[in-house]
Amino acid sequence: MAVHSKFRRFFYNRLATVGLFIVLVVLVVSAAAPILPLTDPNQTVLTNRLLPPGSEGHPLGADELGRDMLSRLIWGTRVSLAVGLSATAIAALVGSLIGIFAAFYGGWLDNTLMRGIDMLMAFPYMLLALAIVAVLGAGLFNALVAISVVNIPFFARNVRGATVGLVRLEYVDAARLSGKSDMEVLFGELLPNVLPVIFITISTTVGWMILETAGLSFLGLGAQPPTADLGSMLGEGRKSILVAPHVATLPGLVILVLVIGINLLGDGLRDVLDPYLRSGALVSPRPATEVDTDLRRRLRSGDAVEPGTEVSPDGPGGNDGGGNDGGTVPLSVRELRTWFWQRSGRTSSAVRATDGVSFQVPRGAALGIMGESGSGKSVTALSVLGLVPTPPGRIMDGSIRFNGEELIGAPIERLRHYRGNRIAYIFQNPMTSLNPLITVGEQIAESVRHHQGVSRAAARERAQELMDKVQIPNAAARVDSYPHELSGGMRQRVGIAVALANDPDVIIADEPTTALDVTIQAQILKLLDDLRRSEGVSLVFISHDFGVISELCDRVVVMYAGQVVESGTVDEIYRHPLHPYTRRLMACVPRLGDRARALTAIPGLPPALDDLPTGCRFADRCDVVTDACREAPVELRGHGAREARCILVEETSA
Amino acid sequence: MNASSAMNNEPLIRIEAVERTFGGARRFLAPPSPLIHAVNGVTLTLRRGDALGVVGESGCGKSTLARMIMGIIPPTAGTIRYRDTDISSLRGADRRRLYRNIQFVFQDPQSSLNPRKTVREILEAPMKKLLNLDAAARERKARELMDRVNLRAEFLDRHPHEFSGGQAQRIGIARALAVDPDVLILDEPVSALDVSIQAQILSLLKELKSDLDLTYLFISHDLAVVDYLCEQVAVMYLGQVVEQGSVGEIFESPRHPYTHVLLRSVPEPGSHRPTRMELSGELPNPAALPAGCNFAPRCYRATARCRGEEPDLRGYGDGGHRAACHFADDPVPPPEDAITERNA
Amino acid sequence: MHRYIIKRLILMIPVLLGISIIVFFIMALIPGDAAQAILGSFATPENVARLRAELGLDKPLVQRYFIWLGNIVQGDFGRSYSLDRPVIDEVLDRLGPTMLLAGTSLILASILGMFAGIVAAIKQFGWQDAAFTFVVLIGISTPSFWLGLMFVLLFSLQLGWFPVSGMTAVVGGGGFLDVVRHLVLPSVTLAVVATGVIARLTRSTMLEVLRRDFVRSARAKGLPERTVIMKHAFRNALVNIIPVLGIQAGFVIGGAVYIETVFQWPGIGRMLVNAILTRDVLLVQGGVVVVAAIYVVINLMADVLQHVLDPRISV
């Protein structure tokens, strides 16, 4: 199945198919050279000297000795291909073995082998090839040896790099614990995973090696008459370039087309084989999340979701007056749908990361958004200022209002005006979300400068103040530190200082303590709690941990499979969860000092977000599910000051 | 279950004064790389039928300890014994024999399964290599194992990437059980999983332990999980065990200030405002450990004595409760919001 | 910083020694006898023996290496028999033109390649990206010696814009503008391949960096896109690009061999090819050692530059 889909992906890549076609044609024609009706490539007919292309019997003309160009080109391609491919095979075999053994055994073997490789790489590439040919003498076989040797380092380095990464993986340890010997681990576990890297390296070097062998022949150091490859034909044709340019032009063109074919094919193979490329790692996100064109149009015509019109008119969110309420509700999200469009072949399908999310953040309040991975909590947070990466993300529906102003579809300048200024973010991993090459002080100061237009010196002073405020010891000195010089907890304090830089109205914190140890988490939570109260800022706090949310937040929104399933105050939800998911989630978290309690796990898995059921999304894992649950989408309905998305709530609660 | 563990509490694994250092290599034209004591003189005993939790924050050496028991990395000093064999120096066939008795469950379920192998190949490898079972017996046992960990037998022909994290971890557990070991070393087996999936795995582990009469060494940073699964616990800080004993005693009446702090740092659902004390400062540089007690620079009770004299791990009462603190006789919980002093 | 440079300079010594060992022993492997090769197959055995003694070829290999090493440290690479002048003089004469050609090409390729790579990365899926893919493909698939010929055909023979070959005009040449006119075609030809490689690397590195969390952080601060791209993304990409520029320098120097042959450029590459064809061992040896040493220095500069950019690389 996997193989099948790889083929499909390959053929959807039109350029790769073109490459494959070129390579196949060249391979077939040069393999068939002996049976094709060609004149002897070495037959010299002096009367045909430098015959131009299109001449009778010689469609591509003849060279300075009157030999048929077409025949010579086909036979020459045969030689060039054979030499290039053999050189690749030798370099790949030797280099890969060196790389894999060096990585696997490490220590002195690794050191010795890789220092040797470094030595080879200390020479400019061609120079070493020339030196080897100088020793062995001019000749096709010697050129092959030279090109192989100079390419060994590429394979050795790439394969070693890939293997070193794999050797550290736990499945290698696991294989040892299964009783496998070194050789079994090396060839049974590692090699299959290294093979793609070897193929990728081949695909990038084979074209190059054909060019290089042709080059040596061109210089007169490769193929010697009467043997001719494309390079030596080109070299000989150069003498008559003035009178008969086709003699030199044609072999070069054949090389060009052949190598283009190989490179296109190689690129296609790489796309298929490289998990890194496949994961979409090489797609750059745009400055702001794309908004669906249909939604844009509706927003312009005032047709889009109006706050409070679609969901639960009697719910607590229902009486939000939208724009006019901006005074008390700075941030209001309604029916937000941010989907990820994934492509497989020619069809694309939507992963409904958030699918109708609504909540409000009153001024000065702290709202928790709780959910497991894939619940859509982070996507919700990032959607607010268009930070969901596009591609693949696209906002399909909904409304996000900040102090009454619609943010979805707002011009990028407006979003930039709010970003880091009125609404600021704190991200999960303080190591990766700070730029490693810029001092932490500058990372705070640049935001101050941009939004407040103050001088460098003033911004730097402000940065230091902020670092004091987030209780970074010795801020005056730490202003010039780089992120890697700080501990995890300190880095997250810097992240908080960045968020506070322009006294924002709302701070959105996306799992800011998840990457930290508990004692450091306790420090950061305390700091956040103190700051939000002293600065009067509204906080949206995203977490998978109800305990953490309890410490900080007044209200909490529980998300499951892209939807809000329940909202209410932290106390209410803790004491009396309405939705079966919330109830069961609480029951399956182990608690300190509650040893006797049995954990009742929720069976099964959340539904796939690109293949959602019609009815309740929790139905398959629910212990009180009824037939009615699966029939139609379940709405989020108000229950007093709370909301729940369950048709059974009346019966099970109250 | 407690009764059974009391009946046959023979020591299975004895870790004695084990140390492991990293770095310290001499470098060309530069000071030597910093020498880090990842594990710094740990003595622990794992008894048959017990579940011993090893807790601590990142960098405390708990995973290094687990890897040394499995021989993935050798200790720099000290001995690790399984029954009567010193296992830290086993090689080749002897080590493989050991793996019939001790097995390991990894933290990251996906990276511990080779993406190119089917579940069947993964489960059958240890049966073939360590137990020399024939094909029919392996097939039978693989199906049994899948049933044990609540996975369908038709999953045997799938590849790891077709499984969710929780399912992959079940496969990891099944692989560890394939040789019917006495002891499982579990290195943070649920920390990569979502809450609802974590509960499934924890219940499974609890069930397996009593059904198969297993002994667990359970590495975790999550105190609540250890509280749920383990009877014994050892608290580690900067490569040393600072307190150990039964879970009930340690978690209800801790004697070491660090244990106090750790317990108090766990956020509790339903409460409000982080009013609890916060631990001052951060982990000191492990390459430049403080003199005296490692915890002294962050401790709310530290005195001049603590900064000069390293406390021994001493026993308190007869329940095997041990703590390494000069004030362990008179444990005092941390004052709320007391700590304001910070170390730069 | 100074300490880093000093350390790297000291670390260069074993690399240079390694190079000298490899070159010396490769040359020592030459089948047949250098003396025989010099004197030709009609030489009398007595003459060959005398020349062997003169060249020190009768001593043990290791001893010969140290003698040779002692000599080259003092700049004595022996005498080229085919040119009948000291190897070092010939090499130094040829070095300037090669460095001019390779340096111009590398600068050209770096600027064009990085610019194209950045544009293609930020306009991903746009026409710029498609055009970029096409140009890069041609760049990395074209035999440069053939491209040089085509350029000569078109720009020199057909259009007459640039001279066909050489570095200076035969009559009244040698002025700055004259050299520039001669330099255009060879340096552009030589730059084509390197541009393709640098552009491709820049694009993929930028795409990778643009996905990193800190770029999202920069955007979350509301910084203008130009700042996000150049200050946050490109600077990080540059850390990965610079070592490749060092390696590309090696490819450009190597590629100069073809270009110098095509354009009759009086550089080291053409000297080496001639030396190989005439089996002038000492000249090959001298040329290879000097160019390799220069390449080592270029890589050292790339390392230092990377160190300046990236505070994480420890001393």
Side-chain angles (χ1 to χ4, degrees), chain B residues 107-126:
Chain B
Q107 171 170 7
D108 180 349
Q110 282 298 352
S111 83
S112 70
L113 303 174
N114 189 335
R116 308 255 156 199
K117 305 269 170 188
T118 62
V119 174
R120 186 189 308 277
E121 288 168 316
I122 290 168
L123 294 187
E124 290 192 1

PDB file of all heavy atoms in Angstrom, chain B residues 107-126:
ATOM      1  N   GLN B 107      10.303   5.693  26.435  1.00  0.00           N
ATOM      2  CA  GLN B 107       9.446   6.866  26.590  1.00  0.00           C
ATOM      3  C   GLN B 107       8.644   7.181  25.332  1.00  0.00           C
ATOM      4  O   GLN B 107       7.439   7.365  25.394  1.00  0.00           O
ATOM      5  CB  GLN B 107      10.309   8.078  26.959  1.00  0.00           C
ATOM      6  CG  GLN B 107       9.520   9.376  26.925  1.00  0.00           C
ATOM      7  CD  GLN B 107      10.305  10.525  27.516  1.00  0.00           C
ATOM      8  OE1 GLN B 107      11.466  10.405  27.830  1.00  0.00           O
ATOM      9  NE2 GLN B 107       9.649  11.648  27.681  1.00  0.00           N
ATOM     10  N   ASP B 108       9.362   7.259  24.200  1.00  0.00           N
ATOM     11  CA  ASP B 108       8.698   7.679  22.977  1.00  0.00           C
ATOM     12  C   ASP B 108       8.277   6.442  22.195  1.00  0.00           C
ATOM     13  O   ASP B 108       9.101   5.772  21.594  1.00  0.00           O
ATOM     14  CB  ASP B 108       9.650   8.537  22.139  1.00  0.00           C
ATOM     15  CG  ASP B 108       9.011   8.999  20.846  1.00  0.00           C
ATOM     16  OD1 ASP B 108       7.931   8.493  20.493  1.00  0.00           O
ATOM     17  OD2 ASP B 108       9.602   9.859  20.182  1.00  0.00           O
ATOM     18  N   PRO B 109       6.984   6.112  22.222  1.00  0.00           N
ATOM     19  CA  PRO B 109       6.573   4.842  21.622  1.00  0.00           C
ATOM     20  C   PRO B 109       6.885   4.777  20.135  1.00  0.00           C
ATOM     21  O   PRO B 109       7.233   3.724  19.621  1.00  0.00           O
ATOM     22  CB  PRO B 109       5.064   4.790  21.879  1.00  0.00           C
ATOM     23  CG  PRO B 109       4.656   6.177  22.222  1.00  0.00           C
ATOM     24  CD  PRO B 109       5.861   6.849  22.776  1.00  0.00           C
ATOM     25  N   GLN B 110       6.798   5.922  19.433  1.00  0.00           N
ATOM     26  CA  GLN B 110       7.041   5.850  17.996  1.00  0.00           C
ATOM     27  C   GLN B 110       8.513   5.593  17.684  1.00  0.00           C
ATOM     28  O   GLN B 110       8.834   4.760  16.863  1.00  0.00           O
ATOM     29  CB  GLN B 110       6.566   7.121  17.285  1.00  0.00           C
ATOM     30  CG  GLN B 110       5.062   7.177  17.065  1.00  0.00           C
ATOM     31  CD  GLN B 110       4.509   6.056  16.171  1.00  0.00           C
ATOM     32  OE1 GLN B 110       5.248   5.294  15.576  1.00  0.00           O
ATOM     33  NE2 GLN B 110       3.190   5.961  16.096  1.00  0.00           N
ATOM     34  N   SER B 111       9.399   6.319  18.338  1.00  0.00           N
ATOM     35  CA  SER B 111      10.808   6.155  17.964  1.00  0.00           C
ATOM     36  C   SER B 111      11.386   4.862  18.520  1.00  0.00           C
ATOM     37  O   SER B 111      12.493   4.492  18.184  1.00  0.00           O
ATOM     38  CB  SER B 111      11.633   7.366  18.402  1.00  0.00           C
ATOM     39  OG  SER B 111      12.012   7.249  19.740  1.00  0.00           O
ATOM     40  N   SER B 112      10.641   4.161  19.361  1.00  0.00           N
ATOM     41  CA  SER B 112      11.184   2.888  19.840  1.00  0.00           C
ATOM     42  C   SER B 112      10.737   1.722  18.956  1.00  0.00           C
ATOM     43  O   SER B 112      11.058   0.580  19.229  1.00  0.00           O
ATOM     44  CB  SER B 112      10.789   2.653  21.294  1.00  0.00           C
ATOM     45  OG  SER B 112       9.416   2.382  21.386  1.00  0.00           O
ATOM     46  N   LEU B 113       9.971   2.024  17.903  1.00  0.00           N
ATOM     47  CA  LEU B 113       9.567   0.972  16.968  1.00  0.00           C
ATOM     48  C   LEU B 113      10.163   1.293  15.601  1.00  0.00           C
ATOM     49  O   LEU B 113      10.003   2.399  15.093  1.00  0.00           O
ATOM     50  CB  LEU B 113       8.039   0.912  16.855  1.00  0.00           C
ATOM     51  CG  LEU B 113       7.270   0.691  18.166  1.00  0.00           C
ATOM     52  CD1 LEU B 113       5.772   0.797  17.923  1.00  0.00           C
ATOM     53  CD2 LEU B 113       7.610  -0.656  18.778  1.00  0.00           C
ATOM     54  N   ASN B 114      10.860   0.328  15.013  1.00  0.00           N
ATOM     55  CA  ASN B 114      11.477   0.540  13.712  1.00  0.00           C
ATOM     56  C   ASN B 114      10.390   0.710  12.655  1.00  0.00           C
ATOM     57  O   ASN B 114       9.574  -0.184  12.444  1.00  0.00           O
ATOM     58  CB  ASN B 114      12.367  -0.654  13.369  1.00  0.00           C
ATOM     59  CG  ASN B 114      13.206  -0.411  12.136  1.00  0.00           C
ATOM     60  OD1 ASN B 114      12.850   0.391  11.275  1.00  0.00           O
ATOM     61  ND2 ASN B 114      14.331  -1.093  12.054  1.00  0.00           N
ATOM     62  N   PRO B 115      10.388   1.865  11.949  1.00  0.00           N
ATOM     63  CA  PRO B 115       9.306   2.129  10.992  1.00  0.00           C
ATOM     64  C   PRO B 115       9.247   1.134   9.838  1.00  0.00           C
ATOM     65  O   PRO B 115       8.234   1.041   9.168  1.00  0.00           O
ATOM     66  CB  PRO B 115       9.625   3.538  10.478  1.00  0.00           C
ATOM     67  CG  PRO B 115      11.053   3.771  10.805  1.00  0.00           C
ATOM     68  CD  PRO B 115      11.328   2.979  12.037  1.00  0.00           C
ATOM     69  N   ARG B 116      10.328   0.409   9.610  1.00  0.00           N
ATOM     70  CA  ARG B 116      10.351  -0.513   8.461  1.00  0.00           C
ATOM     71  C   ARG B 116       9.892  -1.919   8.832  1.00  0.00           C
ATOM     72  O   ARG B 116       9.916  -2.815   8.004  1.00  0.00           O
ATOM     73  CB  ARG B 116      11.754  -0.614   7.876  1.00  0.00           C
ATOM     74  CG  ARG B 116      12.366   0.691   7.551  1.00  0.00           C
ATOM     75  CD  ARG B 116      12.369   0.954   6.060  1.00  0.00           C
ATOM     76  NE  ARG B 116      12.440   2.379   5.861  1.00  0.00           N
ATOM     77  CZ  ARG B 116      12.102   2.994   4.741  1.00  0.00           C
ATOM     78  NH1 ARG B 116      11.667   2.297   3.722  1.00  0.00           N
ATOM     79  NH2 ARG B 116      12.186   4.289   4.646  1.00  0.00           N
ATOM     80  N   LYS B 117       9.598  -2.160  10.100  1.00  0.00           N
ATOM     81  CA  LYS B 117       9.232  -3.522  10.506  1.00  0.00           C
ATOM     82  C   LYS B 117       7.734  -3.615  10.768  1.00  0.00           C
ATOM     83  O   LYS B 117       7.112  -2.630  11.155  1.00  0.00           O
ATOM     84  CB  LYS B 117       9.972  -3.889  11.797  1.00  0.00           C
ATOM     85  CG  LYS B 117      11.469  -3.729  11.731  1.00  0.00           C
ATOM     86  CD  LYS B 117      12.118  -5.000  11.289  1.00  0.00           C
ATOM     87  CE  LYS B 117      13.595  -4.735  10.999  1.00  0.00           C
ATOM     88  NZ  LYS B 117      14.267  -5.836  10.412  1.00  0.00           N
ATOM     89  N   THR B 118       7.201  -4.797  10.607  1.00  0.00           N
ATOM     90  CA  THR B 118       5.815  -4.991  11.008  1.00  0.00           C
ATOM     91  C   THR B 118       5.782  -5.299  12.505  1.00  0.00           C
ATOM     92  O   THR B 118       6.796  -5.667  13.103  1.00  0.00           O
ATOM     93  CB  THR B 118       5.156  -6.167  10.268  1.00  0.00           C
ATOM     94  OG1 THR B 118       5.868  -7.356  10.624  1.00  0.00           O
ATOM     95  CG2 THR B 118       5.208  -5.970   8.762  1.00  0.00           C
ATOM     96  N   VAL B 119       4.598  -5.169  13.083  1.00  0.00           N
ATOM     97  CA  VAL B 119       4.448  -5.475  14.504  1.00  0.00           C
ATOM     98  C   VAL B 119       4.877  -6.912  14.770  1.00  0.00           C
ATOM     99  O   VAL B 119       5.552  -7.209  15.754  1.00  0.00           O
ATOM    100  CB  VAL B 119       2.988  -5.246  14.931  1.00  0.00           C
ATOM    101  CG1 VAL B 119       2.794  -5.692  16.367  1.00  0.00           C
ATOM    102  CG2 VAL B 119       2.611  -3.795  14.754  1.00  0.00           C
ATOM    103  N   ARG B 120       4.524  -7.796  13.842  1.00  0.00           N
ATOM    104  CA  ARG B 120       4.896  -9.195  14.027  1.00  0.00           C
ATOM    105  C   ARG B 120       6.416  -9.340  14.138  1.00  0.00           C
ATOM    106  O   ARG B 120       6.932  -9.981  15.054  1.00  0.00           O
ATOM    107  CB  ARG B 120       4.380 -10.032  12.849  1.00  0.00           C
ATOM    108  CG  ARG B 120       4.579 -11.529  13.007  1.00  0.00           C
ATOM    109  CD  ARG B 120       4.237 -12.261  11.717  1.00  0.00           C
ATOM    110  NE  ARG B 120       2.919 -11.900  11.209  1.00  0.00           N
ATOM    111  CZ  ARG B 120       1.787 -12.433  11.634  1.00  0.00           C
ATOM    112  NH1 ARG B 120       1.806 -13.357  12.567  1.00  0.00           N
ATOM    113  NH2 ARG B 120       0.633 -12.050  11.131  1.00  0.00           N
ATOM    114  N   GLU B 121       7.135  -8.692  13.219  1.00  0.00           N
ATOM    115  CA  GLU B 121       8.603  -8.798  13.261  1.00  0.00           C
ATOM    116  C   GLU B 121       9.147  -8.231  14.570  1.00  0.00           C
ATOM    117  O   GLU B 121      10.083  -8.764  15.158  1.00  0.00           O
ATOM    118  CB  GLU B 121       9.219  -8.042  12.081  1.00  0.00           C
ATOM    119  CG  GLU B 121       9.015  -8.735  10.746  1.00  0.00           C
ATOM    120  CD  GLU B 121       9.379  -7.842   9.565  1.00  0.00           C
ATOM    121  OE1 GLU B 121       9.013  -6.650   9.550  1.00  0.00           O
ATOM    122  OE2 GLU B 121      10.032  -8.352   8.652  1.00  0.00           O
ATOM    123  N   ILE B 122       8.536  -7.130  15.008  1.00  0.00           N
ATOM    124  CA  ILE B 122       9.013  -6.484  16.240  1.00  0.00           C
ATOM    125  C   ILE B 122       8.783  -7.405  17.439  1.00  0.00           C
ATOM    126  O   ILE B 122       9.660  -7.572  18.285  1.00  0.00           O
ATOM    127  CB  ILE B 122       8.304  -5.127  16.433  1.00  0.00           C
ATOM    128  CG1 ILE B 122       8.807  -4.138  15.380  1.00  0.00           C
ATOM    129  CG2 ILE B 122       8.518  -4.593  17.840  1.00  0.00           C
ATOM    130  CD1 ILE B 122       7.986  -2.867  15.291  1.00  0.00           C
ATOM    131  N   LEU B 123       7.613  -8.024  17.499  1.00  0.00           N
ATOM    132  CA  LEU B 123       7.305  -8.872  18.653  1.00  0.00           C
ATOM    133  C   LEU B 123       8.064 -10.192  18.603  1.00  0.00           C
ATOM    134  O   LEU B 123       8.434 -10.740  19.645  1.00  0.00           O
ATOM    135  CB  LEU B 123       5.802  -9.158  18.719  1.00  0.00           C
ATOM    136  CG  LEU B 123       4.876  -7.981  19.002  1.00  0.00           C
ATOM    137  CD1 LEU B 123       3.454  -8.465  19.202  1.00  0.00           C
ATOM    138  CD2 LEU B 123       5.340  -7.219  20.238  1.00  0.00           C
ATOM    139  N   GLU B 124       8.293 -10.710  17.402  1.00  0.00           N
ATOM    140  CA  GLU B 124       8.895 -12.047  17.319  1.00  0.00           C
ATOM    141  C   GLU B 124      10.412 -12.039  17.462  1.00  0.00           C
ATOM    142  O   GLU B 124      11.001 -13.053  17.808  1.00  0.00           O
ATOM    143  CB  GLU B 124       8.483 -12.734  16.012  1.00  0.00           C
ATOM    144  CG  GLU B 124       7.009 -13.112  16.029  1.00  0.00           C
ATOM    145  CD  GLU B 124       6.619 -14.037  14.888  1.00  0.00           C
ATOM    146  OE1 GLU B 124       7.496 -14.404  14.082  1.00  0.00           O
ATOM    147  OE2 GLU B 124       5.427 -14.393  14.812  1.00  0.00           O
ATOM    148  N   ALA B 125      11.022 -10.847  17.207  1.00  0.00           N
ATOM    149  CA  ALA B 125      12.489 -10.810  17.286  1.00  0.00           C
ATOM    150  C   ALA B 125      13.003 -11.309  18.646  1.00  0.00           C
ATOM    151  O   ALA B 125      13.867 -12.184  18.686  1.00  0.00           O
ATOM    152  CB  ALA B 125      12.999  -9.411  16.984  1.00  0.00           C
ATOM    153  N   PRO B 126      12.497 -10.779  19.769  1.00  0.00           N
ATOM    154  CA  PRO B 126      13.031 -11.282  21.043  1.00  0.00           C
ATOM    155  C   PRO B 126      12.707 -12.747  21.287  1.00  0.00           C
ATOM    156  O   PRO B 126      13.518 -13.463  21.885  1.00  0.00           O
ATOM    157  CB  PRO B 126      12.367 -10.391  22.099  1.00  0.00           C
ATOM    158  CG  PRO B 126      11.228  -9.722  21.430  1.00  0.00           C
ATOM    159  CD  PRO B 126      11.560  -9.660  19.974  1.00  0.00           C
TER     160      PRO B 126
END
